Amino acid sequence: MKELILTLIVSICSAQYLNFFVVTDIHYDIAYQQNYSYPYLCHSVGIDGEKLNPVPTNDTAPLGRYFCDSPMTLAALAFQQMKAVNPNPDFILLLGDSVAHFTSTLLNQQGVYDKEADKNLVLSTFTKVTQLFTKYFPNTQLLPVIGNNDGFSDYQIPEGVEGTNYLKFLYNLWSPLIGFMTDTFMKGGYYASITKGGLNFICLNSNYFSTHIKLPLIEADEQLEWLRSQLQANRAKSIIIMHISPGVSMYGKGDPDWDNDYVTKFLSIVTAFQSKISYIFAGHYHFGFFQLVPGTQLSIIVHPSVSPFFGNNPGFRYYTLNGNTQDYIDYTYDLNQTGWYTHSFSQMYNLDTLNFTSVYSMLSKNFTMLNQFLARSYGLDVEPGIANEYVWNLALGLNYTTQQSLGRSVMLCSMQYLAFSDFQKCIGNVRGLLRGRNH
Ligand SMILES: *[C@@H]1O[C@H](CO)[C@@H](O)[C@H](O)[C@H]1NC(C)=O
Ligand SMILES: *[C@@H]1O[C@H](CO)[C@@H](O)[C@H](O)[C@H]1NC(C)=O
Ligand SMILES: *[C@@H]1O[C@H](CO)[C@@H](O)[C@H](O)[C@H]1NC(C)=O
Ligand SMILES: *[C@@H]1O[C@H](CO)[C@@H](O)[C@H](O)[C@H]1NC(C)=O
Ligand SMILES: *[C@@H]1O[C@H](CO)[C@@H](O)[C@H](O)[C@H]1NC(C)=O
Ligand SMILES: *[C@@H]1O[C@H](CO)[C@@H](O)[C@H](O)[C@H]1NC(C)=O
């Protein structure tokens, strides 16, 4: 009887509609100045170790500027739009990088680097971003993860006493909004939670797996073992969320995002427990993307950013899921023409489930559609005049006229393979041609 009731509850829950937002890479820039242009990262002060002598411009950009991180006005604009779309979503996912790219290395007004002052700027940034959630969505559950710009130094995880204080700070700020969370948060900033609709969330701190981390940390292996045990223990399916995904960014980069050992371990875990995973979500790239998990029906869904730092238009994503139909709408704000534009998955691909195997198959057969995908991923399809040449240079670092077959391979291979050696083999070992870029 108890079993029957449980089964009934589970099936009622899974038939329920779920509406939620994914917002990521807000990169709120606490030092943003509207009258400083992008060569100075929209700052009136310099950056430690870089030769910048900021001078102001008359061309002010109160809502944000391409190639700069977000002013508060832009972050707030995204939240206003989210609230207009649905003031009462089931939950909101925040997939990391709340903090701007150079906050931890800003010089002060005197031109001096003051690490302690910058740490306080990082913490103030978190407070301000969290206030956006409590202001616009006071009753909504938040599920945040930590990104590579969220520490006190890019890609490095605060350690020792500093690390404990850092996690305590985030725990105090976030836990009232998260609700139930496992005590693993204080161990390494990762945790599991359960949402109102009864969904299991496994929220990773994928900074531990990054190729940029200076020391191999014991928490990386512990976290992956914990992921395995969570999937094993959960009766119902789980959703895995993280900032940096294990694959290779479409930009080519020339470098994998995760250390190879962790990619292998992650793949073996998600392959073994594929029937227990419903979705895997990531941020970090600043463009809407997907990566198939080889040998499974799973994919990692990568989300557009609020920050226009890579010349992309700002955006966020709104999901509507139920058992049989799944869709999302991308909301894109065109910084040039100042307005919101929407594109739904179902409209773009004529599919009623988020089947990226199917999307991949369409894109691999139709070059026009692949180019539309690329422009869409950067939120650039809202400006009809934008040429493939511009999009390729921005998004791939490649020349549309002379590097067409390489560009096509880079796009399709990074959708197909998570392990770097497989990606390289797929593009034909042309590593030297690709430029890297720091996310
Ligand atoms: C730049 O903006 C600040 C306020 O944000 C203002 O105080 C300053 O006068 C402006 N400078 C120029 C050159 O416009
Ligand atoms: C900015 O505006 C001031 C006052 O209108 C003008 O003197 C100056 O030439 C302008 N600077 C630029 C770079 O246009
Ligand atoms: C915005 O306008 C500038 C100047 O007209 C143009 O160069 C650029 O391609 C436009 N779009 C984006 C997304 O930057
Ligand atoms: C996704 O579509 C492919 C065909 O493109 C199909 O083989 C596969 O079963 C579909 N997956 C799911 C989960 O429906
Ligand atoms: C390729 O995609 C474009 C854009 O979606 C579409 O207009 C065209 O009909 C497709 N071509 C084929 C051969 O399916
Ligand atoms: C691409 O290559 C062509 C031919 O070499 C050149 O004319 C064009 O300027 C290049 N485009 C870009 C964006 O560099």
Side-chain angles (χ1 to χ4, degrees):
M1 190 59 189
K2 206 173 150 200
E3 282 294 299
L4 180 65
I5 291 171
L6 262 179
T7 313
L8 266 174
I9 292 172
V10 168
S11 53
I12 289 166
C13 287
S14 60
Q16 181 190 52
Y17 272 96
L18 278 177
N19 302 307
F20 61 94
F21 292 103
V22 178
V23 57
T24 188
D25 295 82
I26 295 174
H27 288 287
Y28 162 49
D29 192 345
I30 202 161
Y32 186 90
Q33 293 287 340
Q34 59 167 329
N35 51 16
Y36 285 80
S37 55
Y38 79 84
Y40 315 114
L41 304 156
C42 300
H43 293 155
S44 61
V45 294
I47 301 289
D48 187 38
E50 294 200 20
K51 283 199 165 59
L52 292 178
N53 274 314
V55 288
T57 162
N58 289 343
D59 160 34
T60 58
L63 274 178
R65 220 186 266 280
Y66 294 110
F67 306 104
C68 287
D69 275 329
S70 310
M72 184 42 80
T73 43
L74 179 60
L77 192 74
F79 278 78
Q80 276 160 28
Q81 184 64 19
M82 285 157 66
K83 198 177 169 80
V85 172
N86 183 352
N88 207 7
D90 292 290
F91 48 83
I92 298 174
L93 309 182
L94 171 63
L95 299 185
D97 278 4
S98 299
V99 181
H101 283 87
F102 294 97
T103 303
S104 60
T105 52
L106 285 173
L107 302 181
N108 64 18
Q109 298 295 340
Q110 288 73 45
V112 175
Y113 174 51
D114 179 345
K115 192 164 171 54
E116 288 307 311
D118 284 351
K119 280 190 205 169
N120 287 328
L121 289 180
V122 168
L123 300 181
S124 304
T125 300
F126 277 119
T127 304
K128 294 249 163 65
V129 169
T130 306
Q131 281 166 355
L132 282 171
F133 285 95
T134 50
K135 177 176 175 197
Y136 289 95
F137 296 96
N139 303 312
T140 302
Q141 183 178 18
L142 172 70
L143 294 163
V145 297
I146 300 174
N148 57 290
N149 289 111
D150 287 336
F152 298 136
S153 171
D154 193 11
Y155 284 101
Q156 304 312 314
I157 295 167
E159 286 190 86
V161 177
E162 184 180 71
T164 306
N165 289 338
Y166 172 79
L167 289 176
K168 246 187 226 159
F169 175 88
L170 288 180
Y171 180 87
N172 289 336
L173 195 65
W174 284 345
S175 64
L177 298 166
I178 296 172
F180 168 77
M181 61 197 289
T182 55
D183 59 12
T184 47
F185 189 83
M186 283 308 297
K187 220 171 167 183
Y190 57 92
Y191 64 98
S193 184
I194 296 179
T195 66
K196 202 167 60 179
L199 288 178
N200 297 315
F201 268 88
I202 300 177
C203 311
L204 301 178
N205 182 354
S206 61
N207 292 312
Y208 283 105
F209 315 128
S210 162
T211 48
H212 295 278
I213 197 137
K214 288 200 184 105
L215 298 165
L217 298 169
I218 182 93
E219 288 89 344
D221 284 310
E222 280 176 10
Q223 189 181 171
L224 287 175
E225 280 316 308
W226 171 82
L227 167 65
R228 184 198 301 279
S229 68
Q230 286 289 311
L231 291 170
Q232 205 152 24
N234 288 341
R235 288 178 52 137
K237 288 189 177 190
S238 300
I239 298 179
I240 299 173
I241 67 173
M242 62 188 135
H243 181 63
I244 309 172
S245 80
V248 183
S249 139
M250 178 168 68
Y251 195 76
K253 290 187 79 174
D255 284 310
D257 286 328
W258 279 27
D259 186 276
N260 189 49
D261 285 353
Y262 301 134
V263 178
T264 306
K265 276 185 199 161
F266 180 81
L267 280 175
S268 91
I269 295 167
V270 298
T271 304
F273 292 99
Q274 54 186 295
S275 64
K276 294 271 207 73
I277 301 167
S278 45
Y279 298 97
I280 307 175
F281 292 143
H284 188 56
Y285 289 171
H286 290 215
F287 50 79
F289 196 59
F290 67 88
Q291 299 158 310
L292 305 176
V293 181
T296 74
Q297 294 277 336
L298 294 169
S299 51
I300 302 177
I301 307 179
V302 182
H303 294 80
S305 63
V306 172
S307 166
F309 192 78
F310 292 147
N312 56 296
N313 271 312
F316 62 83
R317 188 170 283 181
Y318 180 59
Y319 282 86
T320 49
L321 307 179
N322 77 25
N324 308 317
T325 34
Q326 304 147 7
D327 201 5
Y328 64 70
I329 301 174
D330 277 335
Y331 285 81
T332 306
Y333 187 79
D334 183 1
L335 271 182
N336 268 355
Q337 294 171 19
T338 59
W340 287 100
Y341 294 79
T342 57
H343 289 85
S344 72
F345 176 91
S346 55
Q347 227 173 42
M348 283 187 292
Y349 305 112
N350 199 23
L351 293 170
D352 59 10
T353 60
L354 301 177
N355 184 334
F356 284 100
T357 309
S358 216
V359 173
Y360 174 81
S361 158
M362 291 181 211
L363 298 180
S364 66
K365 289 181 193 129
N366 186 331
F367 190 60
T368 308
M369 207 173 171
L370 185 65
N371 278 309
Q372 284 174 350
F373 171 88
L374 188 66
R376 166 91 296 272
S377 73
Y378 268 67
L380 296 177
D381 57 343
V382 297
E383 285 180 44
I386 291 219
N388 284 334
E389 282 79 2
Y390 180 85
V391 177
W392 275 52
N393 185 45
L394 188 75
L396 301 169
L398 295 175
N399 186 314
Y400 178 72
T401 314
T402 57
Q403 294 177 296
Q404 223 162 73
S405 86
L406 175 62
R408 182 176 178 276
S409 295
V410 165
M411 286 190 262
L412 295 173
C413 296
S414 57
M415 290 168 186
Q416 247 187 317
Y417 296 107
L418 293 174
F420 187 60
S421 55
D422 293 338
F423 167 78
Q424 269 192 305
K425 211 180 294 161
C426 178
I427 63 169
N429 297 309
V430 286
R431 180 174 186 162
L433 279 174
L434 302 176
R435 295 201 310 239
R437 182 165 62 184
N438 210 352
H439 289 259

